[in-house]
Amino acid sequence: MTKFNKTLLAAAVALASTQTFAAGFQLNSQSATGLGRAMAGDAIIADNASVLARNPAAMALFDKTAISVVGTYADVNVEVTDAMIGDGSGDGQYLGAMDNAAEGKPIPSFYYINPINDKWAFGIAAFSNYGTGTDLAPLNSGHDFNTPIDLLGNTEVTTINFNASVSYRINDSLSLGLGIDAIKGMGTLTRQGDFTVPVFGEIPLNLVDIDADGWGFGAIFGLAYEINENNRIGLSYRKSPNMKASGDIAYNPPFAAENFGEIDIPLADIAQLAGFHQLTDKFAIHYTAQWTNWSNFDNIELTDGENGTDSHILKHYNWENSWFLSLGATYDINDKWTVRAGIAKDQGVVGEVSSLSIPDSDRTWYSAGFSYHINEKSSIDFGYTLVAGEKVHVIETSELVGPVSAYTESGANYYSLQYNYTF
């Protein structure tokens, strides 16, 4: 495989994987209650069954069977401005701007917790950790010069996490939990457009056309410690798998082509500490410190080449571990209404290596929500979060046209509705 082919394919697969797994597109949206408090304390509050997404040990806090059904809409927005061929320091060929290069996504979730006795409980859950849809292909249109079609195109990714967990209460204060994660990942990727070649003139290039899916298996370990009836803390560690996706992985650079059977993408482990403190009969505060091991995402590897190639490491990354820190508060107005709010700082993962395909930056979360208690057994939650990202300058090199410069700014609006029932 030529150097051109390797670099082109690396850029294409990097677009698919980073749009799926970059922190800027991580979907912290497992519950409406959590989105109403910036996910503060979500691994220990245990006010409904959605705690299962964060800490299986917290199931020990339930004495009745509980279910939660969640519907969330993530309105993700990526703005691209002053995109041009060149490093941005002087004159260049102007590619344009896009007000919204991302697509919104519905995100359903389901949780079920069943206490077996005063020691054991088990639960099952289905939720999503990652998902996005971006389309930068319009920046290739309407120009009388060649554009970086190897960098700009359409990406669609969806992941579904299926979890089964158990918890065990050791004593009145300490409980432990263990869960198994089965993660289904699905994605499509296209990179295509017209390109002018001397002598041959304008030719259509369908550089990348990928439709792949796969499974990964991981685990989550949890601890819940009840200091007293008004104060408790939770710890959890999610061991993430190496995702392996297979399917139609076709790329067609101008001079040669080779198909691979599988993409190997390492995911980041997640550790978090959460606390909950009931200060008065009506008012409580809660917090979360979450660490994500993004430095584990070191490279992307293709395996099982059709021409006998065992594997290729396509691109190395210099991602940094990140912190998500949130603080929230809850207030019970009366027996029917509860209100909550929170704020969070979400640290970006991009280090020295920036990319148009990773419009990532530090972000601030502003959250608010409420619960309406229909009766003793059922309630409805609503949560809203505004995620505001910083504007960053990105320079990335296209193998077709050279350096490409742009300013990107990413953010999101999360709207979530949840129904809870206890038996």
Side-chain angles (χ1 to χ4, degrees):
M1 187 185 296
T2 67
K3 180 180 183 296
F4 176 86
N5 296 334
K6 289 182 181 180
T7 307
L8 183 60
L9 182 58
V13 178
L15 281 168
S17 61
T18 54
Q19 290 296 341
T20 312
F21 303 110
F25 289 91
Q26 186 174 357
L27 298 176
N28 280 322
S29 57
Q30 288 78 19
S31 72
T33 41
L35 283 171
R37 57 190 176 221
M39 295 297 168
D42 258 36
I44 194 59
I45 294 180
D47 43 5
N48 56 65
S50 64
V51 70
L52 185 54
R54 298 281 175 151
N55 185 2
M59 292 192 298
L61 301 175
F62 289 75
D63 56 10
K64 296 179 180 179
T65 300
I67 64 170
S68 292
V69 181
V70 187
T72 300
Y73 183 76
D75 181 16
V76 180
N77 182 52
V78 178
E79 295 184 359
V80 181
T81 56
D82 294 329
M84 64 177 59
I85 298 173
D87 61 8
S89 60
D91 295 334
Q93 294 172 306
Y94 186 68
L95 292 169
M98 295 187 66
D99 292 334
N100 192 355
E103 296 182 2
K105 293 289 183 180
I107 311 166
S109 304
F110 172 80
Y111 307 93
Y112 172 82
I113 293 176
N114 184 12
I116 302 172
N117 52 41
D118 59 355
K119 291 289 187 180
W120 291 93
F122 78 90
I124 57 174
F127 52 92
S128 180
N129 280 326
Y130 304 97
T132 189
T134 60
D135 189 1
L136 299 178
L139 292 175
N140 290 318
S141 302
H143 306 296
D144 59 0
F145 52 84
N146 286 328
T147 61
I149 61 176
D150 54 333
L151 303 182
L152 308 176
N154 182 64
T155 302
E156 295 283 343
V157 176
T158 303
T159 64
I160 306 173
N161 188 307
F162 299 96
N163 173 272
S165 297
V166 296
S167 68
Y168 179 73
R169 177 175 288 279
I170 296 176
N171 53 43
D172 290 342
S173 298
L174 181 63
S175 302
L176 302 178
L178 171 65
I180 302 299
D181 290 323
I183 304 171
K184 175 71 172 179
M186 300 159 283
T188 60
L189 172 69
T190 59
R191 299 292 179 263
Q192 58 189 7
D194 295 328
F195 194 82
T196 300
V197 180
V199 179
F200 295 98
E202 187 176 85
I203 59 174
L205 295 181
N206 184 16
L207 299 176
V208 181
D209 190 357
I210 294 178
D211 186 358
D213 62 79
W215 287 90
F217 295 89
I220 181 170
F221 311 90
L223 175 152
Y225 186 77
E226 300 167 73
I227 302 170
N228 52 46
E229 63 180 2
N230 293 321
N231 301 275
R232 53 186 180 268
I233 59 173
L235 291 167
S236 68
Y237 188 92
R238 173 162 263 122
K239 180 64 178 176
S240 299
N242 282 6
M243 288 292 298
K244 294 182 181 294
S246 60
D248 297 326
I249 305 174
Y251 65 100
N252 303 287
F255 309 111
E258 181 178 2
N259 291 342
F260 284 87
E262 197 169 67
I263 305 173
D264 187 1
I265 304 170
L267 301 186
D269 294 348
I270 301 172
Q272 60 183 311
L273 165 70
F276 173 81
H277 306 283
Q278 189 75 42
L279 301 183
T280 70
D281 290 342
K282 293 181 175 292
F283 181 73
I285 62 170
H286 25 85
Y287 48 85
T288 288
Q290 177 180 282
W291 174 82
T292 305
N293 183 27
W294 282 116
S295 62
N296 184 56
F297 189 78
D298 51 358
N299 59 63
I300 296 175
E301 187 175 19
L302 295 188
T303 58
D304 300 330
E306 67 174 2
N307 296 333
T309 305
D310 292 332
S311 64
H312 279 289
I313 295 177
L314 297 178
K315 188 172 182 178
H316 293 278
Y317 289 84
N318 189 29
W319 283 15
E320 298 175 348
N321 298 329
S322 65
W323 283 94
F324 178 90
L325 305 174
S326 63
L327 176 66
T330 298
Y331 183 76
D332 295 319
I333 298 175
N334 52 40
D335 292 340
K336 289 293 187 181
W337 293 95
T338 298
V339 293
R340 56 185 61 89
I343 189 169
K345 296 295 293 184
D346 189 8
Q347 188 179 32
V349 301
V350 177
E352 297 178 358
V353 181
S354 62
S355 172
L356 282 168
S357 64
I358 317 175
D360 192 38
S361 67
D362 292 348
R363 292 164 297 276
T364 303
W365 285 43
Y366 305 96
S367 302
F370 63 84
S371 295
Y372 176 70
H373 305 277
I374 302 172
N375 52 47
E376 292 183 356
K377 292 187 174 182
S378 60
S379 63
I380 295 176
D381 302 329
F382 174 78
Y384 168 76
T385 289
L386 168 66
V387 181
E390 299 176 356
K391 190 173 185 178
V392 295
H393 185 208
V394 178
I395 299 177
E396 184 176 11
T397 299
S398 164
E399 287 297 313
L400 298 176
V401 299
V404 178
S405 169
Y407 288 89
T408 65
E409 186 173 0
S410 61
N413 290 281
Y414 287 101
Y415 309 90
S416 188
L417 190 66
Q418 177 173 332
Y419 176 73
N420 310 297
Y421 189 84
T422 57
F423 295 86

